[in-house]
Amino acid sequence: MPVDYSKWDALELSDDSDIEVHPNVDKRSFIRAKQAQIHQERQQRKHQIETLKYERIINDGLMKRISALLASLRAHASEAATRNPAEVAFQAVMESAGNPKDDQPPPRPEGVHSDEKELPSYTKMMATLLDQVNKALDEKKPENRYDAMIDEIQEHENKVKNLQKELLAKLGELEKEEGRKITSEGIHTGFDSSHVNKSKPTEKKESTQVELLNPGFGAASGSSAANQEVKVDEDDDEVEATPAAKKFGQIQSDHYSTSLQFLSHNPEVLTEKNTDGLLVLAFDAALENKDDLCRQYVHQGLLLQYCRALGKDGVGLFFKRITTKGHQAQEVFYKDVQDTFMKIRTRSREIIAERAKEGDAEGVEQIQLHAVEPGTVIQIKVPAADSEDPEEQEARKIFESFKPEMKKALESGELDKVNKVLGNMKVDEAEELIGLFGEANILSLEEQIIDATTEEGQKQLKEMEAAAAENKLADDPE
């Protein structure tokens, strides 16, 4: 049977090691620039999607109130012929006001319209809309002001509907573009499959039936996290909690009222991805030996999972059961949290030990200074502290910005000591430091003076001649 490889055309690679670049272009810098460009475009697209979704939510709330106002105005249209139209209109506005608890729009997601002021309530939005309608009616001066008001408000409703259609079309384009490429963020199936291997549920016969926090959860996904094998991928970029979910993860485990209030205002965090993301944060905390923070992330992550599994009213049902003193649901949930925490903690300790072994066996990547050309040596020149030369003074400022151990190594004039300090630094820090060496003219290449009258000097001279011959042969193989 023929194999269809067309799906791989959608792969978007940001770290292709086989890429060819011009000899004068630094390959590592080119790859990093390409990675940054891809990630920046992806983040901008995600930000646009979040913004459009939020705008549609706000417009839906506003359109709901406009529709209610129109329905109320039309219901009282017959009264407008016998009563004061202004009084009838005011009565219709009050009837369509809705529940005051729902008057405040949902909070903006992080980064969405962050430079703008806080959104007004829906009541203020409707008041602004009615002001615009009244101004338009004052200008038009219709004979039947009541009917004209209905027509004017209907026109505003049509504008909002058309805007919603435009936003939906734009959102569809962005989501299509987002899904067109296969990235690491889209190749996971969630915590229940890619991060947990679950054994088959065991049948248990009990004389009494206990009301569980999550009915049917044992049959669907195992009796508890005791049957789960926690597995963490090397690449955690594919599972990341949203900013709101990370904020939820910071809430302490025993502050259930705060958690309930947060979920009531941010129901969008109740997703499988956020559960996975919080468990990844728990694993990261365990790798840093922060056990309390790890347990907290596990607790909040599983809390989201239970609320989702309990159905439409899962949030209220979960908190009602978990806060009822002596309820059997508490034991089920707390055991799940403890078992998951222990598995993550055990696995993190294993990884820490493995990394320590690999570090001892393989060592770490280092930046070291060596003269490339045969017959040359690297000389170290520390800028004078009392120089009156402006360039020398600027170089001295750069030198003074170095850490004490590096300054001491440079002042010794020995390249081995400088390399020893560089070897204890991260590669990117060492590269930046070498760049500063160049700005301050601290390092320079000079010809090596060899005393050919000594046995050691003659040996060095022969080694240099052999190296030069090899280089010539490599440049001209014919």
Side-chain angles (χ1 to χ4, degrees):
M1 183 179 70
V3 180
D4 182 15
Y5 293 100
S6 61
K7 63 180 179 180
W8 305 116
D9 295 339
L11 280 173
E12 183 174 30
L13 301 178
S14 60
D15 56 354
D16 190 353
S17 59
D18 295 332
I19 192 169
E20 295 293 338
V21 298
H22 191 276
N24 293 338
V25 177
D26 179 56
K27 183 175 179 180
R28 181 182 296 179
S29 301
F30 183 85
I31 292 175
R32 286 178 180 172
K34 183 183 176 185
Q35 287 176 336
Q37 179 185 0
I38 291 174
H39 287 294
Q40 183 179 8
E41 291 175 355
R42 196 179 299 163
Q43 289 301 321
Q44 288 176 350
R45 191 160 54 242
K46 285 183 178 179
H47 181 265
Q48 285 181 305
I49 291 174
E50 287 292 325
T51 302
L52 293 177
K53 285 182 178 179
Y54 180 70
E55 290 177 356
R56 278 183 54 80
I57 292 173
I58 299 299
N59 291 340
D60 281 339
L62 181 61
M63 195 160 59
K64 179 181 176 182
R65 285 158 178 78
I66 295 175
S67 299
L69 176 58
L70 281 172
S72 183
L73 286 171
R74 287 173 179 144
H76 293 283
S78 59
E79 300 177 23
T82 57
R83 292 173 54 195
N84 187 338
E87 292 180 1
V88 177
F90 179 76
Q91 181 182 349
V93 170
M94 295 305 294
E95 289 178 357
S96 63
N99 192 337
K101 294 181 180 179
D102 301 328
D103 193 38
Q104 197 64 32
R108 295 188 182 103
E110 187 172 344
V112 173
H113 298 309
S114 56
D115 55 341
E116 297 180 9
K117 295 180 181 179
E118 185 178 354
L119 274 177
S121 63
Y122 284 116
T123 300
K124 290 183 180 179
M125 293 183 193
M126 291 298 295
T128 303
L129 184 146
L130 291 173
D131 286 341
Q132 295 175 2
V133 170
N134 286 324
K135 286 181 182 179
L137 293 177
D138 291 340
E139 293 176 1
K140 295 179 180 179
K141 297 180 180 179
E143 293 182 3
N144 190 333
R145 189 179 179 90
Y146 192 86
D147 290 342
M149 178 187 293
I150 293 177
D151 294 339
E152 196 71 28
I153 295 175
Q154 181 65 59
E155 189 176 336
H156 279 274
E157 184 185 35
N158 293 338
K159 288 180 181 178
V160 178
K161 285 182 178 179
N162 292 332
L163 177 59
Q164 288 291 77
K165 290 179 182 178
E166 293 175 6
L167 293 177
L168 183 61
K170 181 64 176 174
L171 182 62
E173 292 177 5
L174 290 172
E175 289 180 337
K176 183 178 179 182
E177 178 65 21
E178 182 72 9
R180 187 174 65 86
K181 292 291 186 182
I182 301 174
T183 65
S184 60
E185 297 176 359
I187 313 177
H188 74 94
T189 53
F191 182 81
D192 287 340
S193 55
S194 64
H195 291 272
V196 177
N197 295 328
K198 302 178 180 180
S199 60
K200 295 182 179 179
T202 57
E203 295 183 359
K204 295 183 180 180
K205 294 182 180 180
E206 298 178 351
S207 57
T208 58
Q209 184 175 0
V210 179
E211 183 185 9
L212 297 179
L213 179 68
N214 187 357
F217 180 69
S221 59
S223 60
S224 68
N227 296 326
Q228 300 174 357
E229 179 183 345
V230 176
K231 177 183 176 184
V232 177
D233 296 336
E234 292 297 326
D235 183 8
D236 290 339
D237 291 340
E238 66 177 41
V239 180
E240 183 178 0
T242 63
K246 291 178 181 178
K247 189 175 180 182
F248 177 73
Q250 296 296 327
I251 300 175
Q252 293 185 16
S253 304
D254 55 347
H255 290 184
Y256 285 112
S257 59
T258 307
S259 294
L260 175 58
Q261 185 178 8
F262 186 94
L263 291 179
S264 300
H265 290 89
N266 302 274
E268 68 276 3
V269 303
L270 289 164
T271 64
E272 185 179 9
K273 178 181 177 182
N274 284 330
T275 295
D276 297 350
L278 289 177
L279 291 175
V280 170
L281 290 175
F283 199 90
D284 292 340
L287 289 174
E288 297 175 4
N289 291 318
K290 298 178 180 178
D291 289 348
D292 291 340
L293 183 59
C294 172
R295 189 192 301 272
Q296 179 175 308
Y297 279 133
V298 170
H299 181 280
Q300 298 300 89
L302 292 183
L303 190 155
L304 296 180
Q305 178 177 311
Y306 273 69
C307 287
R308 286 198 324 274
L310 286 169
K312 183 179 179 182
D313 301 323
V315 174
L317 190 59
F318 173 85
F319 284 97
K320 180 181 178 182
R321 294 180 178 180
I322 202 68
T323 55
T324 300
K325 188 175 181 180
H327 200 290
Q328 291 290 344
Q330 295 177 351
E331 181 181 352
V332 174
F333 179 69
Y334 294 149
K335 185 177 184 302
D336 206 351
V337 171
Q338 180 64 18
D339 290 345
T340 305
F341 164 71
M342 289 305 299
K343 287 182 178 295
I344 289 177
R345 186 177 180 274
T346 302
R347 179 58 185 148
S348 68
R349 296 296 186 269
E350 293 173 356
I351 290 178
I352 291 173
E354 290 171 4
R355 288 178 178 175
K357 268 185 198 176
E358 291 174 1
D360 293 339
E362 299 176 6
V364 294
E365 188 178 358
Q366 295 180 345
I367 296 294
Q368 299 285 275
L369 297 173
H370 298 285
V372 178
E373 293 294 331
T376 59
V377 292
I378 297 178
Q379 294 292 337
I380 300 173
K381 177 188 174 186
V382 177
D386 55 353
S387 175
E388 297 181 359
D389 184 4
E391 292 185 3
E392 189 83 3
Q393 291 175 354
E394 288 296 323
R396 185 68 188 186
K397 288 180 181 179
I398 296 175
F399 174 79
E400 292 295 340
S401 67
F402 298 156
K403 292 182 179 179
E405 57 267 25
M406 178 54 75
K407 288 196 289 186
K408 185 177 179 181
L410 291 171
E411 287 172 344
S412 71
E414 297 181 21
L415 190 61
D416 290 342
K417 292 185 178 180
V418 174
N419 281 333
K420 184 177 180 181
V421 177
L422 290 174
N424 294 327
M425 299 173 65
K426 294 181 179 178
V427 173
D428 53 349
E429 293 179 358
E431 289 177 343
E432 183 180 356
L433 198 60
I434 291 173
L436 293 175
F437 288 170
E439 291 181 24
N441 292 321
I442 292 176
L443 304 179
S444 61
L445 283 175
E446 296 183 6
E447 290 188 3
Q448 185 180 14
I449 300 174
I450 298 175
D451 185 1
T453 60
T454 64
E455 183 178 349
E456 184 179 355
Q458 291 176 1
K459 183 179 179 181
Q460 290 181 355
L461 188 60
K462 288 180 180 179
E463 289 176 354
M464 287 173 53
E465 290 173 350
E470 288 180 3
N471 290 337
K472 184 177 180 181
L473 184 60
D475 294 337
D476 186 15
E478 297 181 357

